[in-house]
Amino acid sequence: MDSQVSAGENLVLDVVLKNIGRQEAEDTFVRATIPALGITDRAYFADLSAVDQTDPDKNDAAERRLVLKVPANAPAGVYVVEVEAYNADSSTIITRKVAINAAGAQSAVLAASHSKSLSIG
């Protein structure tokens, strides 16, 4: 994910999940959330086998993209993003930080009003 995003834009997270256990991880989900803003997205990662197999439906890893829509009125600041992978048997959470810039916070160079001059022709 990007380390910065502007308010009103999407924060895109590319998540790769790998089963390193000895049992199949059935019905695995990933949820990404920014608790302070109350936004969340969830993706289904299906069943992850214990080892990668030749069967195309049996993989030990999967990749999905989650998108968190940052509200346009979100205050500027640094926020914690929680990413939780879970199924019926286990759960794990990692956290990352993202800086949210205020909406329309773009810099511009403006001339001072006393430095402008007008002349005929």
Side-chain angles (χ1 to χ4, degrees):
M1 73 178 207
D2 290 332
S3 61
Q4 292 187 15
V5 68
S6 295
E9 294 183 356
N10 293 330
L11 176 63
V12 178
L13 294 90
D14 290 318
V15 178
V16 177
L17 192 60
K18 181 173 176 65
N19 181 2
I20 57 172
R22 295 182 182 202
Q23 303 294 323
E24 182 171 341
E26 296 178 355
D27 294 331
T28 306
F29 291 87
V30 171
R31 178 178 34 237
T33 185
I34 301 177
L37 298 177
I39 56 176
T40 188
D41 190 20
R42 187 172 85 156
Y44 178 62
F45 275 68
D47 298 338
L48 300 174
S49 66
V51 294
D52 207 13
Q53 300 177 11
T54 57
D55 182 351
D57 294 331
K58 297 281 188 177
N59 293 314
D60 66 343
E63 179 181 6
R64 303 282 187 276
R65 179 169 282 182
L66 290 99
V67 179
L68 296 174
K69 173 73 174 154
V70 178
N73 62 351
V78 177
Y79 293 87
V80 173
V81 178
E82 293 180 354
V83 180
E84 178 184 18
Y86 64 94
N87 62 15
D89 298 322
S90 63
S91 173
T92 186
I93 297 175
I94 63 164
T95 60
R96 298 289 185 259
K97 292 185 180 178
V98 63
I100 295 180
N101 303 318
Q106 299 175 358
S107 60
V109 177
L110 304 173
S113 61
H114 59 78
S115 67
K116 296 178 186 175
S117 61
L118 299 172
S119 61
I120 299 176

